[in-house]
Amino acid sequence: MPLFSQPLDHRQWLQSKNNLLIYSSLAAATVALAYRRSRHSSSKGLSADLLNSTKRALFKETEPETFKQHKPLFPVVDVVKKVGVNDEFIRQLRAIAKIIFPHYHTKEVFLLILHSVFLVLRTYLSVVVARIDGRIVRDLVSGRGKRFLTGLGYWFAIAIPATYTNSMIRYLQSKLAIGFRTRLTRYVHDLYLDDEKTFYKSINLDGRIQGADQFITTDITKFCDTLASLYSNLAKPLLDTVIFNYQLLQSIGFMGMVGLTVNYMVTARLLRAVTPSFGKLAAIEAKLEGDFRAAHTRLITNAEEIAFYNGGELEHSILNRAYQRLVKHINSIYKIRISYNMFEDFLIKYSWSAFGLILCAIPVFAPDMVGSMANKVTKNMDEDAQVGSRTRGFITNKRLMMSLADAGGRMMYSYKELAELAGYTTRVYSLLSVLHSLKAGEYDGPNEAVRFALTNIRGKIHLGEDGIKFENVPIVTPAPGQDRQGEMLVENLNVHVRAGEHMLITGPNGVGKTAVARVIATLWPTFEGTLSRPEDKNIFYIPQRPYLSLGTLRDQVIYPHTHEDMKKAGRTDDELMKILDVVRLAYIPDREGGWETKKEWKDVFSGGEKQRIGMARLFYHHPKYAVLDECTSAVSADVEGLMYAHAKDMGITLMTISHRPALFKYHQYLLRLTGNHGQWELEQIGTKQQQQSLEKEMQTLETKLQTVEALKSRLGEIDAELSLKL
């Protein structure tokens, strides 16, 4: 590439074919500036279109077939033991690449190509700048004022495409990072919040992911940022190395290039030998960051309970310990980096600079080693011209050598970034592999066929049944872990709840009442037997702890529907007001400012109001069956009775978990869990046997009441004896 090999004559410079790319870049910069100026006036209108297009890209759900195709790419492995730049890292990165580059027609591929074009352009412009710099210094030393000023003009002219190129590289790198993050986040959300309730399984039925929020919000972001920057930090130096070596070959000769090659090889081998395992250290740091964040989240979630118990001091110590573990690890990394950075800087900055100066001196002190090219240039020149030529050659070679050293240094530094990327890759891969495993029903448990282990689930679930039917189904508390098995709460439950046959489930605490609801909702697995139940649209669950979502007051009543779902179904706010009137909450819209009001509702409603909102959701969705888990414990008895009566009038078959005897009259069957080795009793409420039992209890109470007068008389005698007035 003999660019600027002749004296700097502006006519010849303008006619050179090698400068076509410069003209093109200047034209591109001008067009881009004009385009952005024309777009600025209409940016407000277009911002809405851009937002809509972003939403379409972000919220387009991943096809189920895609998950099936990707499942073999994500086997669960012990990633902690294999963190590093190795074959396993390459395999994991390839698997994740299938997500961020699903095919060759994506926006990310286009951004990557455009990014590469600007990287090539910046390298080319670096060569041009080096040539102009050498010419300017030569004309300055030779005292050629006119050519010096002309060179300055070219210097400012080349600054336009150069600065634009640098800005575009940073912009495209950021766009690549956000594009990678968007695809990964959308993919993980579709996998995490699917119909199989994988988000619940990952928290309660599996221990391989600790703090999924840390994985999704932080680790994916760091992975995408590091991956996007690593491409720029590797591709550009590699390209610079090739082009600058070609340029230097013409100046320092073949032997100089051999010296450079040996320098690269020795430096790379030395750095690899002394580089710590930054990948594993980064993975451990991410885990400790997640533990510290989870401790704070736990404090926020349970703030009221902790305040009642005056547990602030203990929670303070827990947070301090979590932070101390994190800081201790970070400080250990900093200590490791002291010696590593010293050796790295000495090798790359000072050793390379000295070696570069030696190579730049070759054309001056040993021109015969360069070849005939340098001799032809200088043999017919006078002494002043030779000084100028040597000055130009030295400045040009020095700038090229500095750029080459910078490129080599960035490649060496990139190995550290590559090691850190390996750590983030293991975290993201671990998240994806475990989510794929849970979606397929593969849990963490013993390899042998142990009863009630999560790896030995033999029960069957039939959907579409007009009723809820248990056939020899044990209710078992699942226990995740390689050497653990579940604990049986209820043994071989055989119950059939038909339409209109309301059932009340009662029993002591900890016997498995809520566990029955979890098995029906398929939150817990059916280890044995057969469970038959309606489709999800025909059954509704109200858990013991009320949940209020983010959104408007309307969203609290229609949850999990959205306002759009409500309008599609033809429902109106007047219907919602009637529902609130049934649960005695008709005053809420006026008190809170209307249906569109947005607040932190869990802090606005009282305990009883939260539970009545849950019942309002039941009446809004109007399912055929409802499982109610202590969902009216904070509601007064009169309002509770009205809500149960209204549910029965709507034709909703109730399966209620409660201790309240007042709810017996709203149910036909009673399932009593005894807690005695999983035994249970099923009886019909209102039978002769039960009536006789009630009559006996009434007779016992009447007998006790007859002794009240005698007890009062005895109390008076004691009062007189002790001279007390009670």
Side-chain angles (χ1 to χ4, degrees), residues 603-618:
D603 300 327
V604 173
F605 294 143
S606 65
E609 289 174 338
K610 292 176 183 177
Q611 291 190 339
R612 281 181 281 170
I613 286 290
M615 292 298 290
R617 292 172 181 170
L618 173 66

Side-chain angles (χ1 to χ4, degrees), residues 565-573 575-576 579 619-621:
D565 296 331
M566 174 184 165
K567 290 189 290 186
K568 288 179 182 178
R571 312 294 290 272
T572 62
D573 290 343
E575 294 182 57
L576 301 185
I579 292 174
F619 300 147
Y620 168 80
H621 290 283

Side-chain angles (χ1 to χ4, degrees), residues 322-574:
Y323 181 71
Q324 286 172 0
R325 287 193 295 269
L326 172 62
V327 170
K328 183 178 179 181
H329 178 72
I330 293 176
N331 283 330
S332 66
I333 296 177
Y334 290 161
K335 291 178 182 178
I336 292 172
R337 284 180 174 174
I338 291 176
S339 57
Y340 175 77
N341 288 339
M342 285 180 60
F343 181 79
E344 187 181 44
D345 288 346
F346 176 80
L347 191 64
I348 294 177
K349 291 184 178 179
Y350 295 96
S351 299
W352 278 28
S353 297
F355 191 74
L357 289 173
I358 294 173
L359 293 179
C360 289
I362 290 177
V364 178
F365 298 109
D368 295 335
M369 295 179 62
V370 177
S372 60
M373 186 179 300
N375 293 329
K376 290 181 180 179
V377 173
T378 59
K379 69 178 183 179
N380 296 323
M381 293 183 180
D382 55 19
E383 185 176 353
D384 293 338
Q386 289 183 4
V387 171
S389 178
R390 289 173 179 175
T391 303
R392 177 193 61 80
F394 177 78
I395 295 299
T396 300
N397 291 340
K398 181 182 177 182
R399 178 173 282 274
L400 289 174
M401 193 67 68
M402 291 174 60
S403 300
L404 187 61
D406 179 66
R410 277 184 289 159
M411 284 193 293
M412 301 304 170
Y413 291 139
S414 296
Y415 184 79
K416 181 173 64 178
E417 296 181 9
L418 194 63
E420 293 180 351
L421 177 64
Y424 299 136
T425 302
T426 57
R427 296 275 294 177
V428 175
Y429 178 87
S430 177
L431 172 68
L432 292 168
S433 61
V434 172
L435 292 182
H436 270 290
S437 175
L438 294 176
K439 183 179 179 64
E442 301 170 359
Y443 297 93
D444 183 26
N447 297 325
E448 304 83 20
V450 180
R451 192 185 186 198
F452 300 150
L454 284 169
T455 52
N456 188 28
I457 300 173
R458 296 177 294 172
K460 299 179 180 179
I461 300 177
H462 294 160
L463 299 179
E465 178 82 10
D466 189 13
I468 302 173
K469 186 177 182 181
F470 291 88
E471 298 178 86
N472 297 317
V473 177
I475 307 300
V476 180
T477 303
Q482 286 291 329
D483 301 322
R484 301 184 63 190
Q485 61 189 87
E487 177 187 359
M488 186 179 66
L489 301 175
V490 181
E491 183 178 6
N492 294 340
L493 184 62
N494 285 282
V495 172
H496 190 185
V497 180
R498 298 176 179 86
E501 298 179 349
H502 312 284
M503 176 178 287
L504 180 67
I505 303 176
T506 187
N509 291 330
V511 297
K513 300 185 298 296
T514 301
V516 174
R518 290 170 180 157
V519 172
I520 296 174
T522 65
L523 300 182
W524 285 8
T526 303
F527 285 93
E528 297 175 0
T530 303
L531 170 65
S532 302
R533 41 149 288 188
E535 299 282 352
D536 287 338
K537 63 181 180 181
N538 293 325
I539 188 169
F540 196 80
Y541 308 88
I542 303 182
Q544 186 172 357
R545 187 171 64 179
Y547 172 71
L548 298 170
S549 66
L550 297 174
T552 64
L553 176 61
R554 182 189 299 104
D555 294 333
Q556 309 314 307
V557 179
I558 66 177
Y559 185 85
H561 279 186
T562 63
H563 192 199
E564 289 74 15
D565 296 331
M566 174 184 165
K567 290 189 290 186
K568 288 179 182 178
R571 312 294 290 272
T572 62
D573 290 343
D574 292 337

Side-chain angles (χ1 to χ4, degrees), residues 7-190:
L8 191 59
D9 181 37
H10 66 278
R11 289 171 297 182
Q12 185 176 0
W13 192 86
L14 291 173
Q15 294 172 359
S16 175
K17 295 182 179 180
N18 291 324
N19 298 307
L20 180 60
L21 188 57
I22 298 177
Y23 300 147
S24 301
S25 60
L26 283 169
T30 305
V31 172
L33 289 173
Y35 177 70
R36 292 181 65 181
R37 186 178 295 275
S38 64
R39 289 285 298 271
H40 181 72
S41 59
S42 59
S43 59
K44 293 184 179 180
L46 292 177
S47 61
D49 297 336
L50 179 61
L51 180 61
N52 292 333
S53 64
T54 304
K55 286 183 177 180
R56 287 195 297 270
L58 183 59
F59 298 113
K60 182 181 178 183
E61 294 185 3
T62 307
E63 297 294 334
E65 188 63 29
T66 303
F67 291 134
K68 293 180 181 179
Q69 295 174 358
H70 288 179
K71 176 64 173 65
L73 300 175
F74 294 94
V76 179
V77 296
D78 188 3
V79 293
V80 177
K81 295 181 179 179
K82 298 183 179 181
V83 177
V85 183
N86 48 33
D87 293 339
E88 178 63 19
F89 162 63
I90 299 299
R91 186 191 67 80
Q92 293 176 8
L93 195 59
R94 285 179 177 175
I96 299 175
K98 294 288 185 180
I99 301 173
I100 59 180
F101 294 113
H103 48 80
Y104 293 106
H105 305 292
T106 61
K107 181 182 70 174
E108 286 72 26
V109 173
F110 172 74
L111 289 174
L112 194 64
I113 295 174
L114 193 59
H115 193 202
S116 303
V117 170
F118 276 96
L119 289 176
V120 174
L121 180 59
R122 187 170 72 173
T123 300
Y124 181 80
L125 291 174
S126 299
V127 176
V128 175
V129 168
R131 296 287 185 180
I132 294 178
D133 192 19
R135 295 276 178 182
I136 291 175
V137 174
R138 184 201 63 181
D139 294 334
L140 179 63
V141 172
S142 301
R144 301 171 181 174
K146 185 177 180 181
R147 289 189 176 183
F148 173 75
L149 294 176
T150 304
L152 285 179
Y154 293 143
W155 178 271
F156 284 109
I158 204 67
I160 298 176
T163 53
Y164 177 74
T165 299
N166 292 332
S167 299
M168 285 301 297
I169 287 175
R170 289 190 291 267
Y171 169 76
L172 291 172
Q173 179 178 318
S174 301
K175 290 291 290 182
L176 268 177
I178 196 65
F180 293 160
R181 184 183 179 185
T182 298
R183 288 198 177 274
L184 270 178
T185 302
R186 184 191 65 193
Y187 188 91
V188 170
H189 282 177
D190 293 343

